[in-house]
Amino acid sequence: MKRIVILVMVFLFVLSVPVAHASVTIPIGDFSEGLAWMKKSELYGFVDTHGNWVVEPIYETATSFVDGYAFVSNDDGESYVDVQGNIVSGPAPDYSRRHSEGVMVISKGSTYQYVAIAPDAVVPAETYEFAGTFSDGLACVTFGPEYTAAFIDHQGQIVILMDDEWGRITDTSKIKVNGAFPAKFIDGYAVVEGFFSNTEGTKTGGDVVVIIDLDGNKLYIHEEESEIRNCGNGIFCIYDSDKKNYYFADANGVNLTGEVYSGKFEQGRWNGYDTIVENGIALAGIDRKGVITPCFIDMTGQVVIPNDGWDGASPFYEGLAAVRKDGKWGYINTSGEYVIEPKYNVARPFSCGVAIVSTEEEWFIIDAQGNVLY
């Protein structure tokens, strides 16, 4: 496979503070489940995609909606609200902002437990040494004196037990899973971290990263000093911190794109190496004599959308990617065609069919054709 030297350039979109080169403060978050938090007179509420208030601004803090619920707080305490603004649980002093699938995680001293947010949610009754949020119907927990890691379902039944037998590699060595690592399933696969140990549990080797499926099968064991990010749809970004390179791989660890590299810092700016892969297209950057120029590649490592004079870009979201040309942001489709010409100082990712953009004077909510909705 032809080796392509690329650097993934992931641009972080700041939600509530001014962005470089922009004089407008944007008081609204990205949309999730049709709503976005918005700030007015130092208080938060939620608006729809046309800027209409669905939940009046009465809260001191607010988070984006996840699986139908958002965390809010004010003088009455902390609670969760549904998409109509109804308080469904709270107030209480120990609510957690970690929630998914209608269930939140709270800590009780040195242990963790699950509490229902959704009226019909089923939650495990047990307490755990550590508890992660649910995804794909499973959550990673740690329990017992040996801090054994497992994935459980909403009833608390162990679906994947990552004990000594599961982790055994040879008669004298095993993988001990780090139960405090926030492992979660995405599109049927999870990444778990651990280390090599002897049968007594004493660490004998380096760290390992393992890709597993919903049956707990160890599909790929990566033994080098590496980080693995689950990009969704069975695609993983594997970064080797020792070799300073990375590649996109499938769930079995098969290299799809050929070795690429990451300097992690380029011209004083943070550039991540993991990225969003949508419809098999990833944002990357070609290094030409030390100058990084963004482009888009497929999962064979081939450039499918070459650079058109951009000096910045973001991954594809909902079929559109923000690109910056001559200091202004616009959007292209997966064919590389401009759907919205570059004219904005800020252009956030599309979500729920809309995006937040701004000029030097104003900010707007626009649809995928560039029409201003608010």
Side-chain angles (χ1 to χ4, degrees):
M1 181 179 295
K2 183 179 179 181
R3 186 176 186 275
I4 299 178
V5 182
I6 61 176
L7 173 64
V8 169
M9 304 176 68
V10 177
F11 291 83
L12 302 180
F13 291 86
V14 181
L15 297 182
S16 60
V17 297
V19 179
H21 309 299
S23 57
V24 175
T25 297
I26 303 177
I28 186 172
D30 290 330
F31 280 85
S32 174
E33 302 179 21
L35 298 177
W37 58 256
M38 191 159 78
K39 189 176 182 180
K40 180 181 180 181
S41 300
E42 302 304 316
L43 293 176
Y44 293 84
F46 295 91
V47 296
D48 64 18
T49 55
H50 285 74
N52 301 309
W53 289 103
V54 176
V55 180
E56 292 296 321
I58 59 174
Y59 297 105
E60 295 175 0
T61 63
T63 65
S64 297
F65 276 89
V66 176
D67 297 333
Y69 302 97
F71 179 89
V72 295
S73 69
N74 57 18
D75 290 341
D76 294 328
E78 301 176 341
S79 57
Y80 279 92
V81 295
D82 63 18
V83 292
Q84 286 79 40
N86 302 310
I87 294 178
V88 293
S89 60
D94 55 1
Y95 278 175
S96 165
R97 301 189 186 196
R98 291 195 298 134
H99 77 282
S100 63
E101 299 186 3
V103 176
M104 62 179 162
V105 184
I106 66 172
S107 60
K108 290 284 190 179
S110 61
T111 61
Y112 294 80
Q113 68 184 78
Y114 294 97
V115 176
I117 302 174
D120 57 349
V122 177
V123 297
E126 295 82 0
T127 59
Y128 302 95
E129 304 303 317
F130 175 81
T133 55
F134 279 91
S135 61
D136 282 1
L138 301 178
C140 188
V141 299
T142 303
F143 62 91
E146 300 298 322
Y147 296 94
T148 302
F151 280 95
I152 61 170
D153 61 19
H154 280 266
Q155 289 74 34
Q157 299 296 315
I158 294 177
V159 177
I160 302 172
L161 179 62
M162 293 177 285
D163 58 2
D164 290 350
E165 181 178 352
W166 177 90
R168 190 173 299 279
I169 302 299
T170 68
D171 290 339
T172 58
S173 67
K174 64 182 180 182
I175 294 173
K176 178 67 175 177
V177 173
N178 175 10
F181 176 74
K184 62 189 303 182
F185 277 93
I186 301 175
D187 296 333
Y189 301 98
V191 175
V192 296
E193 293 188 357
F195 57 86
F196 283 116
S197 73
N198 56 26
T199 55
E200 288 75 33
T202 303
K203 186 173 182 178
T204 58
D207 295 334
V208 294
V209 187
V210 186
I211 298 175
I212 66 173
D213 62 17
L214 287 167
D215 294 320
N217 298 309
K218 299 189 292 290
L219 303 180
Y220 178 60
I221 300 173
H222 198 83
E223 302 180 21
E224 299 178 12
E225 291 293 327
S226 303
E227 299 175 56
I228 299 181
R229 294 291 183 268
N230 190 340
C231 299
N233 297 312
I235 302 297
F236 299 82
C237 186
I238 301 179
Y239 174 75
D240 191 310
S241 58
D242 184 36
K243 295 181 180 178
K244 304 298 182 186
N245 60 28
Y246 71 97
Y247 55 91
F248 289 101
D250 64 16
N252 295 302
V254 176
N255 189 327
L256 301 174
T257 59
E259 283 190 353
V260 297
Y261 85 97
S262 172
K264 279 210 171 185
F265 288 94
E266 175 65 26
Q267 297 177 350
R269 298 180 62 181
W270 169 258
N271 292 304
Y273 51 87
D274 56 327
T275 186
I276 302 297
V277 178
E278 184 176 274
N279 297 324
I281 300 176
L283 171 65
I286 295 180
D287 180 7
R288 293 199 171 124
K289 297 182 179 180
V291 177
I292 306 298
T293 57
C295 66
F296 294 88
I297 62 170
D298 63 16
M299 288 298 99
T300 70
Q302 301 301 307
V303 175
V304 291
I305 305 177
N307 186 284
D308 183 39
W310 316 317
D311 60 359
S314 76
F316 276 95
Y317 291 85
E318 299 187 354
L320 296 177
V323 294
R324 186 175 62 195
K325 186 175 182 179
D326 298 327
K328 297 294 183 180
W329 290 89
Y331 295 88
I332 61 170
N333 60 22
T334 54
S335 298
E337 302 165 334
Y338 286 96
V339 176
I340 301 171
E341 291 294 324
K343 58 182 178 180
Y344 295 110
N345 287 49
V346 174
R348 292 201 201 145
F350 269 85
S351 179
C352 302
V354 299
I356 309 298
V357 297
S358 76
T359 63
E360 291 184 359
E361 295 82 19
E362 298 178 278
W363 65 270
F364 311 92
I365 301 173
I366 63 170
D367 64 16
Q369 290 73 46
N371 300 310
V372 175
L373 305 181
Y374 178 76

